[in-house]
Amino acid sequence: MKTKNTRNTAARSEIEQLLTESKTALSPAELKDRMTESCDRVTVYRILDRLTGEGLVHKVMTADGAVRYAVCHSCSDAHSHDHIHFSCEQCHLVTCLEEVKPTYQLPKDYTVREMQFTLSGICRECSDRR
């Protein structure tokens, strides 16, 4: 993950590393549980808000309303999250399906500023366990 011009704390660095290494989107609680650096819940949320605002991570809303965070892999100066997120109803992992691009048609005079596409169901790993 590339960091932009902001102060870099040990907690921020660890959160960036955890998100970069994760294959799934993580909740603030999951991040806090995995951290070795000592920081409180509010600090985790502030760091995630800052990383989201800088375009380094994106916020994913699951079907049940939970919020998770994932690293932006394909974003550059043109920040965009035009891919599908998949929320597994069984294991509760949220995965970015970056190769799947959603399509939609808007009526005339509508402008998209942000989009969230989250599908829910059973992921590949949980399907294989059945």
Side-chain angles (χ1 to χ4, degrees), residues 3 30 35 47-48 53 84 87 110:
T3 56
E30 289 170 321
M35 291 178 71
I47 291 169
L48 289 169
I84 304 269
S87 178
Y110 281 75

Side-chain angles (χ1 to χ4, degrees), residues 19 25-28 45 48-53 55-62 65-72 79 81 83 85 94 96 114-118:
L19 288 171
L26 300 172
S27 71
Y45 278 99
L48 289 169
D49 283 344
R50 191 174 333 129
L51 292 172
T52 302
L56 298 173
V57 301
H58 62 278
K59 190 185 293 192
V60 181
M61 189 74 80
T62 64
V67 176
R68 294 177 179 265
Y69 295 84
V71 168
C72 296
H79 189 68
H81 301 293
H83 59 268
H85 300 103
V94 176
C96 292
E114 181 180 335
M115 65 179 176
Q116 290 270 340
F117 282 96
T118 304

Side-chain angles (χ1 to χ4, degrees), residues 3-123:
T3 56
K4 295 186 180 178
N5 294 332
T6 60
R7 65 173 210 237
N8 212 359
T9 64
R12 177 189 164 121
S13 295
E14 187 169 8
I15 287 173
E16 287 180 7
Q17 182 177 354
L18 288 168
L19 288 171
T20 299
E21 293 172 354
S22 180
K23 293 181 181 180
T24 61
L26 300 172
S27 71
E30 289 170 321
L31 285 164
K32 186 164 178 7
D33 289 345
R34 295 178 186 189
M35 291 178 71
T36 57
E37 187 65 33
S38 177
C39 74
D40 61 19
R41 182 179 54 86
V42 173
T43 301
V44 172
Y45 278 99
R46 283 186 184 145
I47 291 169
L48 289 169
D49 283 344
R50 191 174 333 129
L51 292 172
T52 302
E54 293 172 2
L56 298 173
V57 301
H58 62 278
K59 190 185 293 192
V60 181
M61 189 74 80
T62 64
D64 62 356
V67 176
R68 294 177 179 265
Y69 295 84
V71 168
C72 296
H73 293 288
S74 58
C75 294
S76 58
D77 292 334
H79 189 68
S80 144
H81 301 293
D82 60 346
H83 59 268
I84 304 269
H85 300 103
F86 190 88
S87 178
C88 182
E89 295 170 350
Q90 192 165 335
C91 68
H92 306 288
L93 293 179
V94 176
T95 308
C96 292
L97 302 177
E98 295 190 41
E99 66 281 357
V100 180
K101 304 293 181 198
T103 60
Y104 56 89
Q105 280 190 295
L106 290 175
K108 186 179 175 184
D109 298 328
Y110 281 75
T111 303
V112 175
R113 297 204 189 280
E114 181 180 335
M115 65 179 176
Q116 290 270 340
F117 282 96
T118 304
L119 302 175
S120 64
I122 306 298
C123 71

